[in-house]
Amino acid sequence: MSAKEEPGLNNNNGNEGGNAGEDQPVDVKPSDEQINIKVINQANQEVYFKIKKTTPLRKLMDSYCSRQGVSQNSIRFLYDGQRLDQNATPASLGMENNDIIDVALTQTGGSF
Amino acid sequence: MSKSTFDKSIDIVLNFISNPLKRKADDISNSEIQQEQQPSQHNIQRHKHYYKKQQRKPKQQLNKVQHSSLNSNSTYSGSTPNSYFNFDFKKPESLLRDIYRYSIDKLSIFAKTYIFDSNNSIQNHIRTPLKRKPEDIKNRIQYKLSKPNLNLKYIRIQSINNSPTPNKRYQNIRMIDNDNNNNQQQQQQQQQDLNSSRNVKHSKKEDINSLNDNQQENEIIEIIDSDSEQEENIDSTSNSNNEYFESKSTKLSNIDSKRLQANKAKNRYSIENLVKSYQNTLKLNSDSNTASTTANNVDSSAYKYTQSLNYPSKYGNSDYLNSSYSTPQFSKTLPYHTNSGTKSNLISPIKSRDDSSFLSDSNISSGELKLSDLDTSVYSLYQSPKSTTTTTTTAQSDRASVIRNLRPKVEELDLKGSLLDDFRDKLDIERQKTRDTETNSLLKKLDDIHKSNKYSILKQLNERIELEKNAKPQAKQTTPEEETIIKDTLKGNEQDVVSKIGTLAITKYDIKTLNPGKWLNDEVINFYMELMKQRQAENPGKYLKCHFFNTFFYPMLCNNNGTYNYDRVKKWTNSIDIFSLDKIIIPIHLGNHWCLAAINFKAKQFEYYDSLLGTGGDCIPKLKKYVADEMNNRSKKGIVDLNEFKSIFPKDIPCQSNGYDCGVFMCKYADFSSRGLSFTFTQKDITLYRRMMILELINKKMN
């Protein structure tokens, strides 16, 4: 799967965001402070982030957008069907290790 | 007779008639009418039997049979009125019916009148009214026994003795008919009139009767009293020969007994006269066969006419009257009369009255052709009192004027026949007036009854319509103030957040997609779904219990590539139990198109609404699978049976007629669906709905 390659890719650039978000391979055991979060985009590509529980998710979102080269306005981050609040933290949402954040494209429609 | 006595008696008659008329309206809805249905049914059965018998036999023969049955069985003795009649039928009514038949044969409507009254009164007095309203009955009979009645009687006799011309007779009969209480007197008088008019051989007896009349004045009612004393304790249904008198006496037994005793002798005389006159008539009947040929024709009309004559004094007993003396027509309509209680009593008098005037007129003309010369005089007799009586009954409101009209005319009738026509015209007008007023009052009563009926279907319908009106979201024009709010809100940076619910934020850019002609984006729709969630939470019970998924549910369920992946939405329903809800609303995004899917657990169906009438491909099967997986995942296997679920793709829904409104249509489908309403909006409303949605998004409140 191409998804397996991407973590490696992201891992190389992972330190860019400082403590904002860190992409980790799946088998990396996170510390108590950090959890692994899988972001799956509309093309079913998986991106892994390692993030502190108290870090606002805005950093994760910004990081993802910048790395994927997409505008924040063009995608929606969903966690368990709910839109992600930029100020929410994994702790506030009760996220656990290896939880998934879905990325959906904006939708618009009028006819067909 | 002097003018003053004449006036006085007319006054009295009118007085009396006006009383029962007033009471009739009050009693019409009384329950005593229902109690009288049973005897009436009984009578009808007997009558049917009788009528069958009559039909089987040739009419000529029938006449003879009737004649013999009455004549042979009836014996007359001046001293004991109890031994007058030995009639075949065991009920007093049947005797009356016999008489009634004969009188019809001979076109003697007055005999019918008499029967009518007496029968009516028998019923009244034996059955209920005495128990229920003793005061009414007592007053009535006291009135009857009072002096004025005797005056009336006196007037009649005088006229017969002096000039037995039709006009005189007419005058007399009119007054007699008005006096509904003196049934026996009426009967007697009518028979006498008929006899004298025909110049038959029994005129001698009649003369004797009339000679006695002066004495009768003071003695008539005494006999009744003696009867009552003798037979008060006898069961009215016993087989005694005197049943007719029994019932009569039982009726009177409840009245002041002293008064009755004083009047004992009078009744004896009247009864004697009655018998005599009957015997006369019977012989007359057998003599003239021509009359019997038209008997059936006249039968119905005469009957109805009688009903109309006596209507004011009937006390709402039309049910009983109809059935007991029904012609074939009436026996057919019996179920209606007996079963429908108050209403039928209200209606039937009007009907019969209208019919009677029409039928009697037509039958008279036809009858005159057939009848011999001897009988035509009877016809004239028959016609004139009809109109007169009706008028007098009507005159209760304007008594004096009627008297003024009546008296001079009657006197002039002796001289000029043409005046009679004028008189009849006037009477017709009067009768019409009365009919109108009575009809109006009855209609008013019907109206009241209708109003008081709280289970009226119309009422329920109106209530339901009102409810629907309230429930339906109205597409209304936004007010100028609201327009300014919208304008102000949309000014400035497009990325500014306008309103926020939870994690959902809506920006000015998103709101602008609601402008006419724009495509709606997911933010607006999700926000709108969130608003509906909120509305439902704030108004529990007002709306259907729904869950609104957001626009990303379906793409996720489809794994973003048209496949099916339950795991991606597995956790979406962590906080809710979809099986406890009425409906699950799922916006479906198909590339550039919005439609709506709904899982209706209440109606057990999957619904798919597409404003372009598509069927969504494998959307419904996927949703079915989702429900099945959800059941497994939530360990609620078997809570719903998916085999019972239908899939519907309604085609009679409002559709978009352009390339940009599907998002609004979808939102409105969801809105109406969550209210449990059918989709009653149209494309025309969409522009307004767009405006309203902007307001709703800004105010974060759904209408």
Side-chain angles (χ1 to χ4, degrees):
Chain A
M1 269 181 79
S2 62
K4 273 191 178 176
E5 297 169 6
E6 282 193 33
L9 255 176
N10 291 332
N11 209 14
N12 293 335
N13 306 321
N15 292 327
E16 257 186 15
N19 62 348
E22 224 171 288
D23 301 47
Q24 293 284 337
V26 187
D27 48 10
V28 172
K29 199 181 178 184
S31 64
D32 289 344
E33 291 289 309
Q34 290 184 319
I35 55 169
N36 290 322
I37 290 179
K38 184 163 71 175
V39 177
I40 304 181
N41 71 359
Q42 69 278 1
N44 291 335
Q45 293 168 331
E46 298 175 355
V47 181
Y48 295 92
F49 286 91
K50 190 175 164 188
I51 190 173
K52 279 186 185 170
K53 281 190 173 180
T54 51
T55 307
L57 288 169
R58 187 195 325 109
K59 294 198 172 176
L60 183 147
M61 292 150 92
D62 289 341
S63 169
Y64 178 85
C65 286
S66 60
R67 280 174 206 181
Q68 296 289 317
V70 293
S71 157
Q72 275 243 24
N73 293 329
S74 65
I75 55 172
R76 321 281 186 215
F77 291 94
L78 302 168
Y79 175 67
D80 288 352
Q82 298 293 314
R83 287 289 294 277
L84 272 189
D85 187 359
Q86 290 192 334
N87 298 320
T89 62
S92 70
L93 293 173
M95 283 181 169
E96 292 168 8
N97 196 23
N98 294 332
D99 266 358
I100 298 170
I101 289 179
D102 290 303
V103 173
L105 282 178
T106 55
Q107 300 160 318
T108 183
S111 57
F112 49 84
Chain B
M1 118 188 87
S2 66
K3 262 192 180 180
S4 61
T5 18
F6 185 84
D7 276 355
K8 201 178 172 188
S9 43
I10 285 188
D11 208 39
I12 284 153
V13 169
L14 291 176
N15 229 334
F16 176 77
I17 285 170
S18 68
N19 288 336
L21 240 178
K22 279 173 198 162
R23 234 181 302 159
K24 172 205 65 187
D26 298 331
D27 287 358
I28 246 174
S29 57
N30 234 340
S31 58
E32 59 181 65
I33 291 157
Q34 290 184 345
Q35 294 201 5
E36 286 171 359
Q37 284 178 0
Q38 212 174 350
S40 74
Q41 279 173 345
H42 175 69
N43 286 336
I44 259 290
Q45 283 172 358
R46 295 190 62 120
H47 178 69
K48 274 180 182 169
H49 174 69
Y50 179 86
Y51 197 79
K52 273 184 190 169
K53 214 169 77 183
Q54 196 188 24
Q55 279 181 328
R56 257 182 260 127
K57 293 166 184 170
K59 276 174 183 172
Q60 199 171 333
Q61 197 185 344
L62 171 76
N63 246 359
K64 279 179 186 171
V65 171
Q66 285 180 334
H67 176 210
S68 62
S69 71
L70 255 189
N71 215 18
S72 63
N73 289 335
S74 60
T75 54
Y76 167 71
S77 80
S79 58
T80 56
N82 294 342
S83 59
Y84 281 165
F85 289 108
N86 262 338
F87 46 92
D88 291 337
F89 301 100
K90 305 306 179 192
K91 294 277 177 186
E93 298 96 81
S94 45
L95 168 66
L96 298 174
R97 204 154 49 220
D98 271 349
I99 299 168
Y100 168 61
R101 285 284 155 198
Y102 275 99
S103 59
I104 286 172
D105 282 349
K106 290 289 112 184
L107 305 172
S108 166
I109 54 162
F110 311 110
K112 271 197 309 169
T113 306
Y114 152 68
I115 293 159
F116 226 127
D117 284 341
S118 64
N119 199 11
N120 193 8
S121 62
I122 284 169
Q123 282 300 320
N124 274 344
H125 291 258
I126 289 181
R127 305 283 166 178
T128 42
L130 262 186
K131 290 170 191 168
R132 294 185 174 233
K133 297 190 171 182
E135 284 307 308
D136 283 354
I137 307 296
K138 194 177 171 185
N139 288 339
R140 184 182 163 197
I141 294 184
Q142 275 178 353
Y143 202 128
K144 177 172 97 178
L145 299 180
S146 64
K147 191 179 166 190
N149 275 335
L150 302 179
N151 281 340
L152 182 68
K153 170 88 173 167
Y154 173 73
I155 290 162
R156 192 204 68 75
I157 292 161
Q158 285 297 316
S159 68
I160 281 180
N161 287 339
N162 290 343
S163 60
T165 63
N167 288 332
K168 274 293 179 185
R169 253 183 279 120
Y170 149 72
Q171 169 190 334
N172 295 327
I173 288 161
R174 170 173 51 87
M175 301 184 58
I176 292 154
D177 277 350
N178 290 337
D179 187 0
N180 287 312
N181 289 319
N182 291 333
N183 295 322
Q184 293 170 342
Q185 291 178 12
Q186 281 178 32
Q187 176 72 13
Q188 170 194 354
Q189 291 155 2
Q190 290 149 12
Q191 294 301 330
Q192 284 177 351
D193 288 339
L194 287 173
N195 293 338
S196 61
S197 73
R198 289 165 189 171
N199 296 322
V200 270
K201 46 189 172 182
H202 294 278
S203 55
K204 268 192 178 180
K205 270 187 180 175
E206 187 188 306
D207 287 341
I208 296 168
N209 289 339
S210 54
L211 282 176
N212 291 332
D213 277 346
N214 279 330
Q215 296 171 345
Q216 288 170 20
E217 274 184 61
N218 300 318
E219 295 166 358
I220 281 174
I221 304 180
E222 288 179 33
I223 286 178
I224 291 181
D225 184 41
S226 74
D227 292 339
S228 71
E229 279 183 346
Q230 294 167 6
E231 296 161 10
E232 214 169 31
N233 297 324
I234 300 173
D235 187 357
S236 64
T237 58
S238 68
N239 286 337
S240 83
N241 296 333
N242 313 317
E243 281 206 41
Y244 169 69
F245 299 106
E246 264 180 53
S247 47
K248 201 72 187 166
S249 62
T250 325
K251 159 189 113 188
L252 292 169
S253 67
N254 287 304
I255 312 153
D256 188 1
S257 60
K258 286 176 186 175
R259 181 153 228 147
L260 289 173
Q261 278 178 355
N263 294 322
K264 195 198 273 179
K266 277 185 193 171
N267 198 33
R268 178 175 302 166
Y269 274 99
S270 69
I271 291 165
E272 286 171 8
N273 289 329
L274 237 185
V275 176
K276 277 184 195 172
S277 59
Y278 279 139
Q279 287 169 345
N280 293 340
T281 337
L282 294 179
K283 282 166 188 172
L284 265 182
N285 289 341
S286 58
D287 288 340
S288 60
N289 291 329
T290 51
S292 67
T293 57
T294 58
N296 270 348
N297 274 346
V298 186
D299 185 278
S300 60
S301 68
Y303 162 69
K304 286 168 181 171
Y305 165 51
T306 320
Q307 198 185 27
S308 72
L309 277 184
N310 292 279
Y311 171 57
S313 61
K314 277 193 308 190
Y315 297 89
N317 278 334
S318 62
D319 273 358
Y320 173 70
L321 297 173
N322 283 342
S323 48
S324 59
Y325 291 106
S326 59
T327 62
Q329 303 160 356
F330 273 88
S331 42
K332 272 179 198 166
T333 61
L334 171 72
Y336 167 70
H337 284 288
T338 49
N339 290 336
S340 54
T342 318
K343 274 192 180 176
S344 74
N345 276 302
L346 285 172
I347 294 162
S348 57
I350 305 172
K351 190 179 152 199
S352 61
R353 184 166 278 229
D354 289 337
D355 287 345
S356 70
S357 62
F358 169 73
L359 280 176
S360 60
D361 285 346
S362 62
N363 278 323
I364 285 164
S365 58
S366 66
E368 275 175 349
L369 293 174
K370 292 177 187 174
L371 287 177
S372 62
D373 291 340
L374 196 106
D375 286 312
T376 46
S377 62
V378 186
Y379 271 116
S380 65
L381 191 69
Y382 161 83
Q383 278 179 305
S384 45
K386 173 192 89 181
S387 43
T388 326
T389 326
T390 324
T391 315
T392 24
T393 59
T394 74
Q396 46 141 355
S397 58
D398 198 0
R399 202 190 315 161
S401 69
V402 172
I403 293 171
R404 234 178 288 123
N405 287 337
L406 285 183
R407 197 182 356 105
K409 293 280 178 191
V410 170
E411 286 170 353
E412 287 166 3
L413 285 178
D414 288 334
L415 308 172
K416 284 185 182 178
S418 63
L419 280 178
L420 188 65
D421 292 335
D422 296 341
F423 183 57
R424 278 184 198 154
D425 288 345
K426 274 198 173 180
L427 289 179
D428 280 345
I429 295 169
E430 286 287 339
R431 193 173 47 188
Q432 186 66 41
K433 276 184 192 169
T434 335
R435 205 182 298 156
D436 287 348
T437 53
E438 283 183 10
T439 309
N440 283 338
S441 70
L442 288 172
L443 282 177
K444 203 179 171 191
K445 201 133 196 171
L446 262 179
D447 253 11
D448 291 343
I449 289 170
H450 178 71
K451 277 176 190 170
S452 66
N453 185 5
K454 56 182 169 183
Y455 299 109
S456 159
I457 294 172
L458 264 181
K459 231 179 195 174
Q460 285 183 9
L461 270 181
N462 282 336
E463 282 171 7
R464 192 176 295 178
I465 289 170
E466 279 299 313
L467 274 179
E468 292 237 338
K469 257 189 193 169
N470 292 335
K472 184 189 167 187
Q474 297 284 328
K476 56 188 176 196
Q477 193 71 44
T478 47
T479 61
E481 296 86 48
E482 288 167 342
E483 282 297 323
T484 54
I485 290 175
I486 292 172
K487 266 186 186 174
D488 292 346
T489 309
L490 294 184
K491 273 179 195 165
N493 189 352
E494 282 194 342
Q495 295 305 316
D496 288 352
V497 170
V498 174
S499 48
K500 216 174 173 186
I501 296 180
T503 59
L504 277 183
I506 194 159
T507 63
K508 293 179 181 176
Y509 171 81
D510 298 326
I511 286 183
K512 279 179 181 173
T513 65
L514 278 169
N515 280 332
K518 293 278 180 64
W519 289 14
L520 268 62
N521 70 2
D522 57 326
E523 293 279 25
V524 170
I525 288 168
N526 286 332
F527 205 89
Y528 201 71
M529 296 294 157
E530 205 62 32
L531 281 179
M532 282 192 278
K533 257 189 222 174
Q534 181 185 298
R535 176 185 72 183
Q536 183 182 305
E538 287 169 358
N539 302 291
K542 192 176 176 186
Y543 304 99
L544 294 179
K545 284 187 289 178
C546 297
H547 178 67
F548 302 89
F549 279 119
N550 62 25
T551 57
F552 305 113
F553 170 81
Y554 186 63
M556 293 301 167
L557 183 71
C558 294
N559 204 15
N560 275 328
N561 54 14
T563 58
Y564 175 82
N565 188 353
Y566 172 70
D567 287 340
R568 290 198 76 167
V569 294
K570 189 166 69 178
K571 289 165 81 182
W572 286 41
T573 52
N574 275 345
S575 57
I576 56 161
D577 174 17
I578 63 167
F579 302 105
S580 68
L581 302 173
D582 297 328
K583 267 183 186 174
I584 310 296
I585 308 277
I586 304 154
I588 307 285
H589 184 246
L590 300 172
N592 289 324
H593 186 47
W594 291 111
C595 17
L596 188 79
I599 305 168
N600 192 335
F601 286 111
K602 220 176 180 181
K604 298 198 170 184
Q605 60 190 17
F606 289 91
E607 297 156 3
Y608 189 83
Y609 302 109
D610 186 344
S611 56
L612 293 171
L613 302 182
T615 56
D618 54 354
C619 172
I620 298 297
K622 276 179 185 166
L623 290 179
K624 245 181 195 175
K625 211 172 172 190
Y626 167 75
V627 174
D629 283 338
E630 182 78 3
M631 274 196 294
N632 289 335
N633 188 40
R634 305 286 167 198
S635 43
K636 297 202 178 216
K637 205 168 186 179
I639 197 170
V640 291
D641 183 4
L642 282 175
N643 292 329
E644 292 179 0
F645 276 64
K646 299 174 290 180
S647 305
I648 60 165
F649 306 91
K651 302 297 181 199
D652 55 347
I653 56 173
C655 291
Q656 65 182 118
S657 58
N658 52 45
Y660 43 82
D661 275 340
C662 68
V664 187
F665 272 98
M666 194 267 277
C667 289
K668 280 299 151 187
Y669 292 155
D671 184 14
F672 278 68
S673 190
S674 67
R675 296 170 191 257
L677 298 175
S678 53
F679 304 154
T680 50
F681 58 93
T682 64
Q683 172 74 55
K684 283 181 193 170
D685 302 323
I686 293 302
T687 316
L688 288 176
Y689 278 142
R690 278 179 180 267
R691 243 26 216 172
M692 287 168 67
M693 280 174 74
I694 294 177
L695 267 183
E696 284 165 359
L697 294 183
I698 292 171
N699 298 331
K700 289 196 282 183
K701 191 162 175 64
M702 291 263 310
N703 288 332

